[in-house]
Amino acid sequence: MARWRDGRGELVVGGEAGPRVPLEIATSYRARTRGLLGRDRVEGALLLSPAGSVHTFGMRVPIDVAYLDRRLTVIAVRTMPPGRLGLPRPRSRHVVEAAAGAMWGWGIRVGVTVEVVAAH
């Protein structure tokens, strides 16, 4: 699997014919720590890698959280309101965050595999 760097790209859901979602990639400690804090809305999605759990302390809006295994297969999806601590997912290697309700529309569900296409 490729190693990503902080930046932008696309999240492809369920194969080439699936939706392509604008993606912000956060792989450095600083970018992962900042995440979505202080934002009033979420544009597209945010990939945190590596990550096994998240929190919503300091966030202003509820978010959808998808936990991905090492093969980028969704192992859990949760909607989290602000001020919560998510349970750690032992098999999770990456986390995707988006506006609450967005993942349902994109088809992100347990068992679906996604692809990360980094912009160059």
Side-chain angles (χ1 to χ4, degrees), residues 66-67 73-78 91 104 107-113:
Y67 298 88
T73 300
V74 178
I75 57 175
V77 180
R78 299 287 180 261
R91 294 184 316 145
W104 181 258
I108 295 179
R109 315 235 191 323
V110 172
V112 169
T113 299

mmCIF file of all heavy atoms in Angstrom, residues 66-67 73-78 91 104 107-113:
data_model
loop_
_atom_site.group_PDB
_atom_site.id
_atom_site.type_symbol
_atom_site.label_atom_id
_atom_site.label_comp_id
_atom_site.label_asym_id
_atom_site.label_seq_id
_atom_site.Cartn_x
_atom_site.Cartn_y
_atom_site.Cartn_z
ATOM 1 N N ALA A 66 -15.678 6.742 9.655
ATOM 2 C CA ALA A 66 -15.530 5.387 9.113
ATOM 3 C C ALA A 66 -14.153 4.879 9.505
ATOM 4 O O ALA A 66 -13.145 5.535 9.248
ATOM 5 C CB ALA A 66 -15.679 5.383 7.604
ATOM 6 N N TYR A 67 -14.116 3.718 10.136
ATOM 7 C CA TYR A 67 -12.859 3.077 10.532
ATOM 8 C C TYR A 67 -12.478 2.084 9.440
ATOM 9 O O TYR A 67 -13.307 1.256 9.034
ATOM 10 C CB TYR A 67 -13.037 2.351 11.861
ATOM 11 C CG TYR A 67 -13.393 3.274 13.000
ATOM 12 C CD1 TYR A 67 -14.721 3.589 13.273
ATOM 13 C CD2 TYR A 67 -12.401 3.830 13.798
ATOM 14 C CE1 TYR A 67 -15.054 4.439 14.322
ATOM 15 C CE2 TYR A 67 -12.725 4.671 14.849
ATOM 16 C CZ TYR A 67 -14.051 4.976 15.099
ATOM 17 O OH TYR A 67 -14.379 5.821 16.139
ATOM 18 N N THR A 73 -10.781 -1.451 3.897
ATOM 19 C CA THR A 73 -12.146 -1.946 3.979
ATOM 20 C C THR A 73 -12.783 -1.361 5.231
ATOM 21 O O THR A 73 -12.174 -1.341 6.304
ATOM 22 C CB THR A 73 -12.168 -3.489 4.045
ATOM 23 O OG1 THR A 73 -11.554 -3.996 2.856
ATOM 24 C CG2 THR A 73 -13.589 -4.021 4.150
ATOM 25 N N VAL A 74 -14.003 -0.877 5.098
ATOM 26 C CA VAL A 74 -14.716 -0.253 6.218
ATOM 27 C C VAL A 74 -15.092 -1.326 7.237
ATOM 28 O O VAL A 74 -15.755 -2.305 6.900
ATOM 29 C CB VAL A 74 -15.974 0.485 5.717
ATOM 30 C CG1 VAL A 74 -16.736 1.093 6.882
ATOM 31 C CG2 VAL A 74 -15.601 1.545 4.687
ATOM 32 N N ILE A 75 -14.652 -1.116 8.500
ATOM 33 C CA ILE A 75 -14.985 -2.083 9.553
ATOM 34 C C ILE A 75 -16.028 -1.541 10.531
ATOM 35 O O ILE A 75 -16.619 -2.312 11.275
ATOM 36 C CB ILE A 75 -13.721 -2.557 10.316
ATOM 37 C CG1 ILE A 75 -12.969 -1.389 10.925
ATOM 38 C CG2 ILE A 75 -12.829 -3.360 9.388
ATOM 39 C CD1 ILE A 75 -11.782 -1.798 11.794
ATOM 40 N N ALA A 76 -16.265 -0.226 10.507
ATOM 41 C CA ALA A 76 -17.312 0.376 11.347
ATOM 42 C C ALA A 76 -17.586 1.792 10.850
ATOM 43 O O ALA A 76 -16.685 2.455 10.335
ATOM 44 C CB ALA A 76 -16.888 0.415 12.811
ATOM 45 N N VAL A 77 -18.828 2.234 11.010
ATOM 46 C CA VAL A 77 -19.220 3.607 10.680
ATOM 47 C C VAL A 77 -20.064 4.118 11.839
ATOM 48 O O VAL A 77 -20.997 3.439 12.270
ATOM 49 C CB VAL A 77 -20.030 3.694 9.367
ATOM 50 C CG1 VAL A 77 -20.416 5.133 9.069
ATOM 51 C CG2 VAL A 77 -19.259 3.090 8.210
ATOM 52 N N ARG A 78 -19.735 5.294 12.325
ATOM 53 C CA ARG A 78 -20.469 5.888 13.437
ATOM 54 C C ARG A 78 -20.716 7.370 13.158
ATOM 55 O O ARG A 78 -19.898 8.023 12.520
ATOM 56 C CB ARG A 78 -19.677 5.800 14.750
ATOM 57 C CG ARG A 78 -19.370 4.391 15.195
ATOM 58 C CD ARG A 78 -20.630 3.707 15.726
ATOM 59 N NE ARG A 78 -20.343 2.357 16.153
ATOM 60 C CZ ARG A 78 -20.583 1.284 15.420
ATOM 61 N NH1 ARG A 78 -21.088 1.400 14.225
ATOM 62 N NH2 ARG A 78 -20.325 0.079 15.879
ATOM 63 N N ARG A 91 -8.653 -3.244 14.965
ATOM 64 C CA ARG A 91 -8.177 -3.524 13.599
ATOM 65 C C ARG A 91 -8.085 -2.282 12.731
ATOM 66 O O ARG A 91 -7.649 -2.343 11.587
ATOM 67 C CB ARG A 91 -9.095 -4.539 12.921
ATOM 68 C CG ARG A 91 -9.051 -5.907 13.567
ATOM 69 C CD ARG A 91 -9.901 -6.909 12.806
ATOM 70 N NE ARG A 91 -11.182 -6.327 12.426
ATOM 71 C CZ ARG A 91 -11.831 -6.591 11.301
ATOM 72 N NH1 ARG A 91 -11.336 -7.421 10.438
ATOM 73 N NH2 ARG A 91 -12.984 -6.033 11.040
ATOM 74 N N TRP A 104 -23.503 7.947 4.242
ATOM 75 C CA TRP A 104 -24.639 7.159 3.766
ATOM 76 C C TRP A 104 -24.879 7.450 2.283
ATOM 77 O O TRP A 104 -25.065 6.542 1.481
ATOM 78 C CB TRP A 104 -25.882 7.474 4.596
ATOM 79 C CG TRP A 104 -27.065 6.688 4.168
ATOM 80 C CD1 TRP A 104 -28.118 7.105 3.406
ATOM 81 C CD2 TRP A 104 -27.315 5.320 4.457
ATOM 82 N NE1 TRP A 104 -29.003 6.089 3.205
ATOM 83 C CE2 TRP A 104 -28.532 4.969 3.837
ATOM 84 C CE3 TRP A 104 -26.631 4.345 5.171
ATOM 85 C CZ2 TRP A 104 -29.077 3.703 3.919
ATOM 86 C CZ3 TRP A 104 -27.188 3.081 5.245
ATOM 87 C CH2 TRP A 104 -28.391 2.771 4.631
ATOM 88 N N GLY A 107 -22.359 5.817 -0.003
ATOM 89 C CA GLY A 107 -22.337 4.356 -0.018
ATOM 90 C C GLY A 107 -21.278 3.743 0.880
ATOM 91 O O GLY A 107 -20.913 2.579 0.717
ATOM 92 N N ILE A 108 -20.783 4.507 1.847
ATOM 93 C CA ILE A 108 -19.777 3.975 2.778
ATOM 94 C C ILE A 108 -20.500 3.215 3.880
ATOM 95 O O ILE A 108 -21.225 3.788 4.682
ATOM 96 C CB ILE A 108 -18.897 5.100 3.355
ATOM 97 C CG1 ILE A 108 -18.077 5.722 2.227
ATOM 98 C CG2 ILE A 108 -17.997 4.574 4.471
ATOM 99 C CD1 ILE A 108 -17.182 6.864 2.654
ATOM 100 N N ARG A 109 -20.297 1.892 3.869
ATOM 101 C CA ARG A 109 -20.926 0.986 4.830
ATOM 102 C C ARG A 109 -19.910 -0.092 5.217
ATOM 103 O O ARG A 109 -18.915 -0.292 4.516
ATOM 104 C CB ARG A 109 -22.123 0.287 4.209
ATOM 105 C CG ARG A 109 -23.036 1.206 3.427
ATOM 106 C CD ARG A 109 -24.441 1.170 3.845
ATOM 107 N NE ARG A 109 -25.421 1.811 3.026
ATOM 108 C CZ ARG A 109 -25.334 2.934 2.327
ATOM 109 N NH1 ARG A 109 -24.209 3.574 2.254
ATOM 110 N NH2 ARG A 109 -26.344 3.453 1.673
ATOM 111 N N VAL A 110 -20.166 -0.811 6.274
ATOM 112 C CA VAL A 110 -19.283 -1.911 6.679
ATOM 113 C C VAL A 110 -19.143 -2.882 5.516
ATOM 114 O O VAL A 110 -20.120 -3.265 4.883
ATOM 115 C CB VAL A 110 -19.846 -2.610 7.934
ATOM 116 C CG1 VAL A 110 -19.047 -3.867 8.255
ATOM 117 C CG2 VAL A 110 -19.840 -1.663 9.123
ATOM 118 N N GLY A 111 -17.894 -3.268 5.220
ATOM 119 C CA GLY A 111 -17.599 -4.205 4.160
ATOM 120 C C GLY A 111 -17.215 -3.574 2.838
ATOM 121 O O GLY A 111 -16.659 -4.239 1.971
ATOM 122 N N VAL A 112 -17.496 -2.294 2.652
ATOM 123 C CA VAL A 112 -17.140 -1.602 1.411
ATOM 124 C C VAL A 112 -15.660 -1.242 1.453
ATOM 125 O O VAL A 112 -15.134 -0.855 2.494
ATOM 126 C CB VAL A 112 -18.001 -0.319 1.241
ATOM 127 C CG1 VAL A 112 -17.477 0.558 0.121
ATOM 128 C CG2 VAL A 112 -19.446 -0.687 1.018
ATOM 129 N N THR A 113 -14.982 -1.373 0.330
ATOM 130 C CA THR A 113 -13.576 -0.993 0.244
ATOM 131 C C THR A 113 -13.483 0.345 -0.489
ATOM 132 O O THR A 113 -14.203 0.597 -1.448
ATOM 133 C CB THR A 113 -12.780 -2.064 -0.529
ATOM 134 O OG1 THR A 113 -12.888 -3.294 0.189
ATOM 135 C CG2 THR A 113 -11.311 -1.681 -0.646
#
